[in-house]
Amino acid sequence: MKFFIDTANLNDIKEAYDLGILDGVTTNPSLMAKEGITGSQNILKHYVAICNIVEGPVSAEVIATDFEGMIREGEQLAALHKNIVVKIPMIPEGIKAIKYFSGKNIKTNCTLIFSAGQALLAAKAGATYISPFLGRLDDVSTDGISLIEQIRGIYDNYAFDTEILAASVRHPMHIIHCAEIGADVMTGPLSAIKALAKHPLTDIGLQQFLADHAKGNK
Ligand code: E4P
């Protein structure tokens, strides 16, 4: 299972990368705005800064919602760095754009997936990744994990190459459930990734070992 971090914060990206378990990064326009990155030139520079930290796929989202605009922006993004993955929304124009990029060997991440039908269309268009937003489904009393499980079954039936990138992960149990049902990738905040390491018995056990070692070495 691959671990991506879902942020545009360079410190968090560096910290996750330094842990040695980070495989890639996802961003979106809201995450860029949260870091105060505005204006197309600054946004493009920021993607390059992220690519310079992480050796792995970095999803960069198009803003256009028409086919020509998505192609123009996507080609500009893809030219920035070999690891850029063009993130495209799940709308009919987006499906056409994914098909276009798949024919050019440009990697894509189809975002804002909330149903199995959307996931099926994106895979047929040749998306490299699809991003089902499991946390946002949970927010509206719908089981996000069940959707990912359903998509896993459909993709396995037909051996689609498209990778399931479980997005909108909020906490460590989301990550564990995604691993249990075979999501290819998960993307979440640094807090959820670091929370996987935590256990009170680990802390208590370590304290005890250090205290006993100190006693024996007095
Ligand atoms: C996906 O790639 C999105 O960037 C992201 O996971 C959305 O998460 P949120 O629902 O926590 O905003």
Side-chain angles (χ1 to χ4, degrees):
M1 184 191 196
K2 283 174 258 184
F3 273 36
F4 290 0
I5 189 167
D6 193 33
T7 185
N9 182 287
L10 298 182
N11 292 330
D12 282 4
I13 294 169
K14 176 112 186 31
E15 188 176 339
Y17 191 69
D18 288 346
L19 281 176
I21 48 79
L22 192 69
D23 301 297
V25 179
T26 52
T27 62
N28 65 40
S30 306
L31 293 170
M32 292 299 261
K34 190 174 164 198
E35 298 307 317
I37 315 295
T38 54
S40 51
Q41 286 313 309
N42 289 335
I43 290 172
L44 296 180
K45 272 193 222 151
H46 201 73
Y47 286 135
V48 174
I50 294 173
C51 290
N52 287 339
I53 298 175
V54 180
E55 183 48 54
V58 173
S59 288
E61 189 158 342
V62 298
I63 304 300
T65 53
D66 62 300
F67 175 74
E68 285 77 17
M70 284 192 250
I71 299 310
R72 200 171 43 248
E73 278 181 35
E75 284 180 338
Q76 191 181 22
L77 290 167
L80 286 176
H81 193 280
K82 66 178 173 46
N83 287 342
I84 291 282
V85 174
V86 181
K87 203 172 181 188
I88 296 179
M90 169 35 76
I91 52 176
E93 294 286 285
I95 298 167
K96 280 161 58 181
I98 289 166
K99 182 74 190 172
Y100 171 89
F101 285 125
S102 126
K104 299 246 162 200
N105 283 323
I106 291 177
K107 290 187 173 155
T108 52
N109 174 359
C110 185
T111 189
L112 292 166
I113 295 276
F114 292 96
S115 76
Q118 292 177 326
L120 184 55
L121 275 178
K124 280 193 67 68
T128 315
Y129 304 95
I130 53 132
S131 291
F133 278 30
L134 76 101
R136 291 193 194 184
L137 281 169
D138 288 358
D139 289 344
V140 294
S141 313
T142 304
D143 187 6
I145 290 291
S146 298
L147 172 64
I148 293 175
E149 205 166 12
Q150 190 185 13
I151 298 170
R152 176 78 284 154
I154 291 170
Y155 282 10
D156 290 351
N157 282 346
Y158 299 98
F160 280 121
D161 289 336
T162 301
E163 293 192 40
I164 303 173
L165 195 176
S168 188
V169 158
R170 303 274 169 77
H171 51 72
M173 283 313 291
H174 270 159
I175 302 177
I176 291 164
H177 289 318
C178 284
E180 283 172 343
I181 60 177
D184 300 289
V185 192
M186 79 81 206
T187 192
L190 181 62
S191 58
I193 296 172
K194 282 168 72 178
L196 287 174
K198 284 192 195 144
H199 199 287
L201 291 179
T202 303
D203 298 340
I204 292 167
L206 181 59
Q207 266 174 13
Q208 186 69 56
F209 286 155
L210 295 178
D212 289 345
H213 171 80
K215 272 189 241 157
N217 283 283
K218 265 188 189 155

